[in-house]
Amino acid sequence: MSVDEDVIETAVLQIFADRQVPVGGQLPLETLRADWPQTQLRRGDLTQAVRGLVFDGELELDEESEGPVLILTPRGHERLRSGRRAEAPRGMLAALLSPRKPAPAASSLRRSEAPAPEGDYGRRKTDLF
């Protein structure tokens, strides 16, 4: 069974809330791993959620301390307070990772009006594209 990404990310942030981690506060990755079984989600879901939260800027990962720690960002705190995901960051990286092409205008669609040669069993020539 596949669990929605938003659900598993919210479960991670809920652990931060349960432990009363403030904005800029740290939670050791080992503590998060120890608390994860209470969510009844898979271990692999934890990895996926942390990657997503770090990518979205809701958590930061600091690997230079004695052990890896996760830091709650203002964006992550806002998501905890509002209960919903903040709008994705807009920037060059975000645009490159999820390009959105506008729908073509109806006037720009090509139509081929040429009659089909005898025995042509391909597309109809009146089809779009």
Side-chain angles (χ1 to χ4, degrees), residues 23-24 57-58 60 71-80:
V23 174
E58 295 169 342
E60 291 178 2
I71 302 165
L72 183 63
T73 66
R75 183 184 182 104
H77 185 265
E78 180 60 33
R79 181 171 173 186
L80 265 172

Side-chain angles (χ1 to χ4, degrees), residues 7-81:
V7 171
I8 60 175
E9 289 178 359
T10 300
V12 169
L13 292 174
Q14 188 58 50
I15 293 172
F16 276 78
D18 292 345
R19 291 195 164 264
Q20 300 177 345
V21 177
V23 174
Q26 301 180 351
L27 184 68
L29 187 56
E30 286 306 313
T31 302
L32 185 62
R33 284 183 184 143
D35 289 357
W36 189 249
Q38 72 188 5
T39 67
Q40 299 180 351
L41 295 167
R42 298 174 299 196
R43 186 181 306 169
D45 290 337
L46 174 59
T47 304
Q48 177 185 347
V50 169
R51 283 183 185 153
L53 290 165
V54 169
F55 181 80
D56 290 343
E58 295 169 342
L59 293 179
E60 291 178 2
L61 178 64
D62 180 6
E63 297 182 85
E64 294 184 17
S65 349
E66 290 185 22
V69 295
L70 293 166
I71 302 165
L72 183 63
T73 66
R75 183 184 182 104
H77 185 265
E78 180 60 33
R79 181 171 173 186
L80 265 172
R81 282 189 24 208

Side-chain angles (χ1 to χ4, degrees), residues 56 75 86-96 98 100:
D56 290 343
R75 183 184 182 104
E87 187 174 330
R90 297 188 187 275
M92 186 181 295
L93 180 60
L96 290 173
S98 59
R100 297 183 190 265

